[in-house]
Amino acid sequence: MTGTARRLTALLGLLLLIAGCSSGPSLENQGEVTAPPGDSKHLVIGSAGFTESDLLANMYALLLKNAGYGTEILSVANRELYEPALESGQIDVVPEYAATFADWLNAKTNGADAAPVGSPDLDATMKALRDLARPRGLVVLDPGRAVDQNAFAVARSYATEHRLKTLSDLGASGLKVRLAAGDECVQRPYCEPGLKKVYGIDITGVDPKGVGTTQSKKAVQSGQDQMVLTTSTDATLSDFGLVLLEDDKHLQNADYIVPVVNRSRAGSDKVAKALGTLNSVLTTEDLASMNEQVDSWRRLPEDVARTYLEDKGLLK
């Protein structure tokens, strides 16, 4: 069977699994698991289907293959699908974002109105995430240095003119700022309310052009808006003459990249050690550069991932 056929078969099985409302053992049973962590010889790495997730999944697959495992990648763009598959063992490993995944599991466990548990504090976020993941048979491995969190950018010329390097600088400047972002920005604590409360930035309005979209960046490039909500690994900012302002008071949640594994199939120390080799080398800037190579240079994620790991000496 070809790799493509295997992926299609796995995806069909995954869809049947979700349709049958099966997501593995009950939380009560999972919380009582005492069997040793599993070490399956063939592991399925899940990708959420966007560039960065594809890159991380390919790096995970290459590192695990280098450690002696058989690997394949399954792309499932919807967390509502891939997380239950991770619990059930149809997917063994996924790259996730600590604060976002903690809040997602919290809402799944305690209801949509549950107070968020993700925060700018990485240690507190990781504790909450692991406490939520453990009863579901999931193990959250250690985070590295790379983080993909919300970030704010302005035109380079605007930053130079007003001597802006941080969001605190912008708040202290007294400048009036129209913000290009998603329409939810007016309510989200990390966005308009947080920028006003934490940094004292004078937000005069939110231009609902989306998070990090081409349209929103062009609005800032042209001067129609003064700042755009994007992400810390946005690879195209320089194409629009934009630069990030540092979140120096840590408004944003700790969305560090963490591998999450199914304990019964991939919870071994060997898996953790293989994936942990990324922690000392992979940076936010590295991810942004790799995203650019895929999105702007049209290189394949697997080629970019392999070149990066080889350059860092992580592949034999």
Side-chain angles (χ1 to χ4, degrees):
M1 184 180 288
T2 66
T4 299
R6 282 197 302 271
R7 289 183 180 89
L8 291 174
T9 300
L11 182 55
L12 176 59
L14 173 57
L15 294 174
L16 289 173
L17 170 73
I18 302 302
C21 299
S22 170
S23 59
S26 68
L27 293 186
E28 291 81 4
N29 291 337
Q30 287 176 327
E32 297 170 2
V33 169
T34 57
D39 192 28
S40 301
K41 299 308 177 187
H42 184 87
L43 299 175
V44 177
I45 296 89
S47 166
F50 57 92
T51 295
E52 186 168 288
S53 189
D54 287 343
L55 283 163
L56 290 164
N58 274 281
M59 283 192 282
Y60 289 3
L62 288 165
L63 289 170
L64 289 168
K65 186 175 182 179
N66 192 59
Y69 294 92
T71 62
E72 64 178 297
I73 295 173
L74 178 63
S75 183
V76 184
N78 190 315
R79 187 179 276 117
E80 284 76 8
L81 289 177
Y82 73 68
E83 189 278 330
L86 182 63
E87 287 187 35
S88 72
Q90 281 204 277
I91 293 175
D92 304 308
V93 185
V94 294
E96 264 293 356
Y97 301 89
T100 295
F101 197 46
D103 284 336
W104 194 88
L105 286 181
N106 187 42
K108 183 176 179 178
T109 302
N110 299 311
D113 295 330
V117 294
S119 75
D121 185 326
L122 177 59
D123 290 340
T125 296
M126 287 296 296
K127 182 181 185 305
L129 174 55
R130 284 171 165 155
D131 287 347
L132 288 160
R134 190 177 303 111
R136 297 183 176 277
L138 305 179
V139 176
V140 182
L141 302 183
D142 290 341
R145 301 158 60 193
V147 57
D148 186 353
Q149 59 193 175
N150 294 301
F152 295 91
V154 298
R156 185 181 298 277
S157 58
Y158 183 83
T160 300
E161 179 184 356
H162 300 290
R163 299 181 180 180
L164 306 177
K165 292 185 178 180
T166 68
L167 289 171
S168 289
D169 292 340
L170 182 56
S173 73
L175 293 165
K176 295 186 180 299
V177 175
R178 191 165 185 251
L179 177 63
D183 53 11
E184 72 279 3
C185 176
V186 297
Q187 297 178 326
R188 295 287 173 86
Y190 67 80
C191 204
E192 181 182 356
L195 291 172
K196 289 180 175 179
K197 180 179 179 180
V198 175
Y199 287 108
I201 297 173
D202 187 1
I203 305 292
T204 60
V206 173
D207 188 1
K209 286 183 164 61
V211 179
T213 63
T214 297
Q215 186 182 20
S216 65
K217 292 172 192 172
K218 284 184 175 179
V220 176
Q221 182 184 39
S222 69
Q224 176 183 342
D225 298 331
Q226 286 71 51
M227 188 162 67
V228 58
L229 170 62
T230 183
T231 65
S232 57
T233 59
D234 190 326
T236 65
L237 292 176
S238 60
D239 296 342
F240 297 89
L242 307 182
V243 293
L244 291 177
L245 295 182
E246 180 187 350
D247 178 22
D248 54 308
K249 293 184 179 179
H250 306 292
L251 172 63
Q252 302 306 318
N253 282 346
D255 259 330
Y256 284 76
I257 292 159
V258 291
V260 182
V261 305
N262 178 288
R263 182 182 186 276
S264 66
R265 289 186 49 81
S268 70
D269 289 342
K270 185 178 177 182
V271 168
K273 182 178 180 180
L275 297 178
T277 59
L278 268 181
N279 288 357
S280 63
V281 297
L282 184 64
T283 66
T284 303
E285 292 74 21
D286 290 343
L287 266 181
S289 174
M290 286 189 279
N291 285 337
E292 181 180 26
Q293 291 176 56
V294 175
D295 291 337
S296 298
W297 305 357
R298 302 305 179 193
R299 294 188 63 195
L300 295 175
E302 53 265 40
D303 293 340
V304 175
R306 180 179 294 279
T307 298
Y308 178 80
L309 295 178
E310 289 175 344
D311 287 348
K312 295 296 182 180
L314 298 183
L315 295 183
K316 295 177 183 176

